[in-house]
Short mmCIF file of all heavy atoms in Angstrom, two decimals:
data_model
loop_
_atom_site.label_atom_id
_atom_site.label_comp_id
_atom_site.label_asym_id
_atom_site.label_seq_id
_atom_site.Cartn_x
_atom_site.Cartn_y
_atom_site.Cartn_z
N ASN A 20 0.83 -1.21 0.00
CA ASN A 20 0.00 0.00 0.00
C ASN A 20 0.86 1.26 0.00
O ASN A 20 0.57 2.23 -0.70
CB ASN A 20 -0.94 -0.01 1.21
CG ASN A 20 -2.19 -0.84 0.97
OD1 ASN A 20 -2.83 -0.71 -0.07
ND2 ASN A 20 -2.53 -1.69 1.93
N GLU A 21 1.94 1.21 0.76
CA GLU A 21 2.86 2.35 0.80
C GLU A 21 3.46 2.63 -0.58
O GLU A 21 3.58 3.78 -1.01
CB GLU A 21 3.99 2.07 1.80
CG GLU A 21 5.06 3.16 1.85
CD GLU A 21 6.28 2.74 2.69
OE1 GLU A 21 6.11 1.87 3.58
OE2 GLU A 21 7.38 3.25 2.44
N GLY A 22 3.82 1.56 -1.30
CA GLY A 22 4.44 1.72 -2.60
C GLY A 22 3.47 1.83 -3.75
O GLY A 22 3.88 2.06 -4.89
N GLY A 23 2.17 1.62 -3.48
CA GLY A 23 1.18 1.67 -4.54
C GLY A 23 1.20 0.45 -5.45
O GLY A 23 0.93 0.55 -6.65
N HIS A 24 1.51 -0.72 -4.85
CA HIS A 24 1.62 -1.95 -5.63
C HIS A 24 0.67 -3.03 -5.11
O HIS A 24 0.05 -2.88 -4.06
CB HIS A 24 3.06 -2.46 -5.60
CG HIS A 24 4.02 -1.53 -6.25
ND1 HIS A 24 4.95 -0.80 -5.53
CD2 HIS A 24 4.20 -1.18 -7.54
CE1 HIS A 24 5.66 -0.04 -6.36
NE2 HIS A 24 5.22 -0.26 -7.59
N VAL A 25 0.60 -4.12 -5.87
CA VAL A 25 -0.22 -5.28 -5.51
C VAL A 25 0.70 -6.46 -5.25
O VAL A 25 1.69 -6.67 -5.97
CB VAL A 25 -1.21 -5.64 -6.64
CG1 VAL A 25 -2.06 -6.85 -6.23
CG2 VAL A 25 -2.11 -4.46 -6.96
N ALA A 26 0.37 -7.25 -4.22
CA ALA A 26 1.14 -8.46 -3.90
C ALA A 26 0.19 -9.63 -3.72
O ALA A 26 -0.92 -9.47 -3.21
CB ALA A 26 1.94 -8.25 -2.61
N ILE A 27 0.63 -10.80 -4.15
CA ILE A 27 -0.02 -12.06 -3.76
C ILE A 27 1.02 -12.88 -3.02
O ILE A 27 2.11 -13.13 -3.54
CB ILE A 27 -0.56 -12.85 -4.95
CG1 ILE A 27 -1.71 -12.10 -5.63
CG2 ILE A 27 -1.05 -14.23 -4.50
CD1 ILE A 27 -2.29 -12.82 -6.84
N ILE A 28 0.70 -13.27 -1.79
CA ILE A 28 1.61 -14.10 -1.00
C ILE A 28 1.06 -15.52 -0.88
O ILE A 28 -0.11 -15.78 -1.13
CB ILE A 28 1.84 -13.51 0.41
CG1 ILE A 28 0.53 -13.52 1.22
CG2 ILE A 28 2.44 -12.11 0.34
CD1 ILE A 28 0.71 -13.41 2.71
N SER A 29 1.94 -16.43 -0.48
CA SER A 29 1.57 -17.82 -0.16
C SER A 29 0.87 -18.50 -1.32
O SER A 29 -0.11 -19.23 -1.13
CB SER A 29 0.70 -17.85 1.11
OG SER A 29 1.40 -17.27 2.19
N ALA A 30 1.38 -18.27 -2.53
CA ALA A 30 0.85 -18.92 -3.72
C ALA A 30 1.61 -20.22 -3.96
O ALA A 30 2.83 -20.26 -3.83
CB ALA A 30 0.98 -18.00 -4.94
N GLY A 31 0.90 -21.25 -4.29
CA GLY A 31 1.50 -22.57 -4.52
C GLY A 31 0.39 -23.59 -4.42
O GLY A 31 -0.75 -23.32 -4.81
N TRP A 32 0.69 -24.76 -3.84
CA TRP A 32 -0.38 -25.75 -3.72
C TRP A 32 -0.83 -25.95 -2.28
O TRP A 32 -2.00 -26.20 -2.05
CB TRP A 32 -0.03 -27.04 -4.44
CG TRP A 32 1.21 -27.76 -4.02
CD1 TRP A 32 2.48 -27.51 -4.42
CD2 TRP A 32 1.29 -28.88 -3.13
NE1 TRP A 32 3.34 -28.39 -3.83
CE2 TRP A 32 2.64 -29.25 -3.06
CE3 TRP A 32 0.34 -29.62 -2.42
CZ2 TRP A 32 3.08 -30.32 -2.27
CZ3 TRP A 32 0.76 -30.69 -1.65
CH2 TRP A 32 2.12 -31.03 -1.57
N ASP A 33 0.05 -25.81 -1.31
CA ASP A 33 -0.41 -25.75 0.07
C ASP A 33 0.63 -25.01 0.90
O ASP A 33 1.68 -25.58 1.22
CB ASP A 33 -0.63 -27.15 0.65
CG ASP A 33 -1.52 -27.10 1.90
OD1 ASP A 33 -1.92 -25.99 2.30
OD2 ASP A 33 -1.81 -28.17 2.47
N PRO A 34 0.36 -23.74 1.21
CA PRO A 34 -0.87 -22.98 0.97
C PRO A 34 -1.02 -22.63 -0.52
O PRO A 34 -0.04 -22.56 -1.25
CB PRO A 34 -0.67 -21.71 1.80
CG PRO A 34 0.81 -21.54 1.87
CD PRO A 34 1.38 -22.92 1.92
N GLY A 35 -2.28 -22.41 -0.92
CA GLY A 35 -2.58 -22.06 -2.30
C GLY A 35 -3.76 -22.84 -2.81
O GLY A 35 -4.89 -22.65 -2.36
N MET A 36 -3.52 -23.79 -3.74
CA MET A 36 -4.62 -24.53 -4.34
C MET A 36 -5.36 -25.38 -3.32
O MET A 36 -6.59 -25.49 -3.36
CB MET A 36 -4.08 -25.42 -5.47
CG MET A 36 -3.40 -24.65 -6.61
SD MET A 36 -4.44 -23.34 -7.30
CE MET A 36 -5.81 -24.31 -7.94
N PHE A 37 -4.63 -25.99 -2.37
CA PHE A 37 -5.32 -26.74 -1.31
C PHE A 37 -6.17 -25.80 -0.45
O PHE A 37 -7.27 -26.16 -0.02
CB PHE A 37 -4.29 -27.47 -0.43
CG PHE A 37 -3.89 -28.83 -0.95
CD1 PHE A 37 -4.17 -29.21 -2.26
CD2 PHE A 37 -3.22 -29.72 -0.14
CE1 PHE A 37 -3.80 -30.46 -2.74
CE2 PHE A 37 -2.84 -30.98 -0.60
CZ PHE A 37 -3.13 -31.35 -1.90
N SER A 38 -5.66 -24.59 -0.20
CA SER A 38 -6.41 -23.62 0.60
C SER A 38 -7.73 -23.28 -0.08
O SER A 38 -8.79 -23.21 0.56
CB SER A 38 -5.60 -22.33 0.79
OG SER A 38 -4.27 -22.62 1.15
N LEU A 39 -7.68 -23.05 -1.40
CA LEU A 39 -8.88 -22.74 -2.17
C LEU A 39 -9.91 -23.86 -2.06
O LEU A 39 -11.10 -23.62 -1.88
CB LEU A 39 -8.53 -22.55 -3.64
CG LEU A 39 -8.13 -21.17 -4.13
CD1 LEU A 39 -7.78 -21.23 -5.61
CD2 LEU A 39 -9.26 -20.17 -3.90
N ASN A 40 -9.43 -25.08 -2.16
CA ASN A 40 -10.36 -26.21 -2.11
C ASN A 40 -10.94 -26.42 -0.72
O ASN A 40 -12.09 -26.83 -0.58
CB ASN A 40 -9.68 -27.46 -2.66
CG ASN A 40 -9.63 -27.43 -4.17
OD1 ASN A 40 -10.57 -27.84 -4.83
ND2 ASN A 40 -8.54 -26.91 -4.72
N ARG A 41 -10.15 -26.13 0.32
CA ARG A 41 -10.72 -26.17 1.68
C ARG A 41 -11.81 -25.11 1.82
O ARG A 41 -12.85 -25.35 2.45
CB ARG A 41 -9.61 -25.97 2.71
CG ARG A 41 -8.69 -27.17 2.88
CD ARG A 41 -7.73 -27.01 4.06
NE ARG A 41 -6.64 -26.09 3.78
CZ ARG A 41 -5.42 -26.45 3.41
NH1 ARG A 41 -5.13 -27.73 3.24
NH2 ARG A 41 -4.48 -25.55 3.20
N LEU A 42 -11.57 -23.92 1.24
CA LEU A 42 -12.56 -22.85 1.32
C LEU A 42 -13.83 -23.22 0.58
O LEU A 42 -14.95 -23.11 1.12
CB LEU A 42 -11.97 -21.55 0.75
CG LEU A 42 -12.83 -20.28 0.88
CD1 LEU A 42 -11.96 -19.05 0.90
CD2 LEU A 42 -13.84 -20.16 -0.26
N TYR A 43 -13.71 -23.65 -0.68
CA TYR A 43 -14.89 -24.01 -1.47
C TYR A 43 -15.70 -25.10 -0.79
O TYR A 43 -16.92 -25.02 -0.67
CB TYR A 43 -14.46 -24.50 -2.86
CG TYR A 43 -14.08 -23.43 -3.84
CD1 TYR A 43 -12.91 -23.53 -4.59
CD2 TYR A 43 -14.88 -22.31 -4.04
CE1 TYR A 43 -12.55 -22.55 -5.50
CE2 TYR A 43 -14.53 -21.32 -4.95
CZ TYR A 43 -13.36 -21.45 -5.68
OH TYR A 43 -13.02 -20.48 -6.58
N ALA A 44 -15.01 -26.15 -0.34
CA ALA A 44 -15.72 -27.29 0.24
C ALA A 44 -16.39 -26.91 1.55
O ALA A 44 -17.52 -27.32 1.82
CB ALA A 44 -14.74 -28.45 0.46
N GLY A 45 -15.72 -26.10 2.37
CA GLY A 45 -16.31 -25.68 3.64
C GLY A 45 -17.51 -24.76 3.46
O GLY A 45 -18.45 -24.78 4.24
N ALA A 46 -17.45 -23.93 2.42
CA ALA A 46 -18.58 -23.04 2.14
C ALA A 46 -19.79 -23.83 1.66
O ALA A 46 -20.94 -23.50 2.00
CB ALA A 46 -18.18 -22.00 1.10
N ILE A 47 -19.55 -24.89 0.90
CA ILE A 47 -20.64 -25.70 0.35
C ILE A 47 -21.21 -26.64 1.40
O ILE A 47 -22.42 -26.86 1.48
CB ILE A 47 -20.14 -26.48 -0.88
CG1 ILE A 47 -19.79 -25.50 -2.01
CG2 ILE A 47 -21.16 -27.49 -1.36
CD1 ILE A 47 -18.92 -26.10 -3.08
N LEU A 48 -20.34 -27.23 2.22
CA LEU A 48 -20.75 -28.17 3.28
C LEU A 48 -20.33 -27.60 4.63
O LEU A 48 -19.32 -28.01 5.20
CB LEU A 48 -20.12 -29.55 3.06
CG LEU A 48 -20.50 -30.29 1.78
CD1 LEU A 48 -19.70 -31.58 1.65
CD2 LEU A 48 -22.01 -30.59 1.76
N PRO A 49 -21.11 -26.64 5.17
CA PRO A 49 -20.69 -26.01 6.43
C PRO A 49 -20.66 -26.97 7.61
O PRO A 49 -19.93 -26.73 8.57
CB PRO A 49 -21.71 -24.90 6.63
CG PRO A 49 -22.88 -25.28 5.79
CD PRO A 49 -22.34 -26.04 4.63
N GLU A 50 -21.46 -28.03 7.56
CA GLU A 50 -21.41 -29.04 8.63
C GLU A 50 -20.57 -30.20 8.13
O GLU A 50 -21.02 -31.00 7.31
CB GLU A 50 -22.82 -29.49 9.03
CG GLU A 50 -23.61 -28.40 9.72
CD GLU A 50 -24.59 -28.97 10.73
OE1 GLU A 50 -24.44 -30.14 11.14
OE2 GLU A 50 -25.51 -28.22 11.10
N GLY A 51 -19.33 -30.27 8.60
CA GLY A 51 -18.44 -31.33 8.14
C GLY A 51 -17.05 -31.15 8.68
O GLY A 51 -16.79 -30.31 9.55
N ASN A 52 -16.11 -31.93 8.15
CA ASN A 52 -14.73 -31.90 8.61
C ASN A 52 -13.78 -31.88 7.42
O ASN A 52 -14.02 -32.52 6.40
CB ASN A 52 -14.42 -33.15 9.46
CG ASN A 52 -15.19 -33.16 10.76
OD1 ASN A 52 -15.01 -32.29 11.60
ND2 ASN A 52 -16.07 -34.15 10.92
N ASP A 53 -12.69 -31.12 7.58
CA ASP A 53 -11.63 -31.06 6.58
C ASP A 53 -10.53 -32.06 6.93
O ASP A 53 -10.17 -32.24 8.10
CB ASP A 53 -10.98 -29.67 6.54
CG ASP A 53 -11.86 -28.64 5.88
OD1 ASP A 53 -12.61 -28.99 4.96
OD2 ASP A 53 -11.79 -27.46 6.29
N TYR A 54 -9.97 -32.68 5.89
CA TYR A 54 -8.82 -33.57 6.04
C TYR A 54 -7.83 -33.24 4.92
O TYR A 54 -8.21 -33.17 3.75
CB TYR A 54 -9.23 -35.04 5.93
CG TYR A 54 -10.22 -35.47 6.99
CD1 TYR A 54 -11.59 -35.37 6.76
CD2 TYR A 54 -9.78 -35.99 8.21
CE1 TYR A 54 -12.51 -35.77 7.72
CE2 TYR A 54 -10.69 -36.40 9.18
CZ TYR A 54 -12.05 -36.28 8.93
OH TYR A 54 -12.95 -36.68 9.89
N THR A 55 -6.59 -33.03 5.29
CA THR A 55 -5.54 -32.80 4.31
C THR A 55 -4.46 -33.86 4.49
O THR A 55 -3.93 -34.04 5.58
CB THR A 55 -4.92 -31.40 4.46
OG1 THR A 55 -5.95 -30.41 4.33
CG2 THR A 55 -3.87 -31.15 3.39
N PHE A 56 -4.19 -34.58 3.41
CA PHE A 56 -3.13 -35.58 3.39
C PHE A 56 -2.08 -35.13 2.39
O PHE A 56 -2.40 -34.73 1.27
CB PHE A 56 -3.67 -36.95 2.96
CG PHE A 56 -4.61 -37.59 3.95
CD1 PHE A 56 -5.96 -37.32 3.90
CD2 PHE A 56 -4.14 -38.48 4.90
CE1 PHE A 56 -6.84 -37.92 4.80
CE2 PHE A 56 -5.01 -39.09 5.81
CZ PHE A 56 -6.37 -38.80 5.76
N TRP A 57 -0.80 -35.20 2.79
CA TRP A 57 0.29 -34.83 1.90
C TRP A 57 1.06 -36.08 1.51
O TRP A 57 1.37 -36.93 2.34
CB TRP A 57 1.25 -33.86 2.59
CG TRP A 57 0.61 -32.57 2.98
CD1 TRP A 57 0.34 -31.49 2.16
CD2 TRP A 57 0.14 -32.20 4.28
NE1 TRP A 57 -0.26 -30.49 2.89
CE2 TRP A 57 -0.40 -30.89 4.18
CE3 TRP A 57 0.11 -32.83 5.51
CZ2 TRP A 57 -0.94 -30.21 5.27
CZ3 TRP A 57 -0.43 -32.18 6.60
CH2 TRP A 57 -0.95 -30.88 6.46
#
């Protein structure tokens, strides 16, 4: 904000694509549990 620029942090697959899928799934099924296996 100080420099007038845009940043994206923590991009990749976890965090990143896995985070997105946890968000989508939790929003669709609010009553449930998340499991992440690496």
Side-chain angles (χ1 to χ4, degrees):
N20 278 313
E21 176 189 335
H24 296 109
V25 180
I27 293 180
I28 64 161
S29 301
W32 58 277
D33 198 359
M36 299 307 298
F37 274 15
S38 313
L39 272 178
N40 282 274
R41 286 189 285 261
L42 185 153
Y43 281 133
I47 294 163
L48 297 175
E50 292 211 18
N52 294 297
D53 286 328
Y54 299 90
T55 302
F56 292 88
W57 298 280

